[in-house]
Amino acid sequence: MIYAFGDVNLDCVWDFLETPSKRDVLFPELGTSNYRLGGVAYNLFAAAAAVVQPACVVGKVGWDEAGHIAVQRLPRESGHLVFVDAAHPTGSMLILRFQGGAGNARHFVYNAPNANQYLTRQDIVDSGIRLTADDILFLTGYSPMPLSFRPQV
């Protein structure tokens, strides 16, 4: 099993066909927008699941609209363990993609502090996950687990 511990975000992606002029920046309706699940841990989980590897993402979302949307969009057929944190907002990323004349895209990204940063060792212990020597662990920088944390194998 591949375990990806860390960030589960709800990304808002706005695509623009061309780099807008300064005047056009005031009118975001010129582009198209959509929401998607994201975050480093979620993206690794999704990639593993896409190639039919057993995988589980372990993360935290807030008790807010973005968190509800994120939980609803988690794949039902795949493994995930997502905790809800009532004290902190869901991780959100705003991605503005501007297509250049040569097909090159520029990305602007904004990310703010969020529930991902509050995934703790105790959350994982309480989840009942039992790791084996064959498991692969991936931890993102959002997981504030001390170096002294050693999973029981």
Side-chain angles (χ1 to χ4, degrees), residues 11-16 18-21 25 36 92-100 104-112:
D11 296 346
C12 176
V13 181
W14 266 346
D15 287 306
F16 297 90
E18 300 177 10
T19 302
S21 69
V25 171
R36 68 176 188 205
S92 307
M93 189 165 292
L94 173 61
I95 304 169
L96 304 177
R97 297 190 300 197
F98 299 99
Q99 300 299 321
N104 298 327
R106 293 188 306 148
H107 295 31
F108 292 91
V109 176
Y110 174 75
N111 194 11

Side-chain angles (χ1 to χ4, degrees), residues 3-60:
Y3 288 97
F5 296 93
D7 48 338
V8 176
N9 292 339
L10 185 65
D11 296 346
C12 176
V13 181
W14 266 346
D15 287 306
F16 297 90
L17 293 179
E18 300 177 10
T19 302
S21 69
K22 289 183 181 179
R23 180 182 175 279
D24 292 338
V25 171
L26 300 175
F27 303 99
E29 65 273 6
L30 295 175
T32 59
S33 64
N34 65 74
Y35 290 103
R36 68 176 188 205
L37 288 171
V40 175
Y42 178 81
N43 292 341
L44 179 90
F45 156 76
V51 293
V52 195
Q53 294 297 317
C56 180
V57 64
V58 182
K60 213 170 226 189

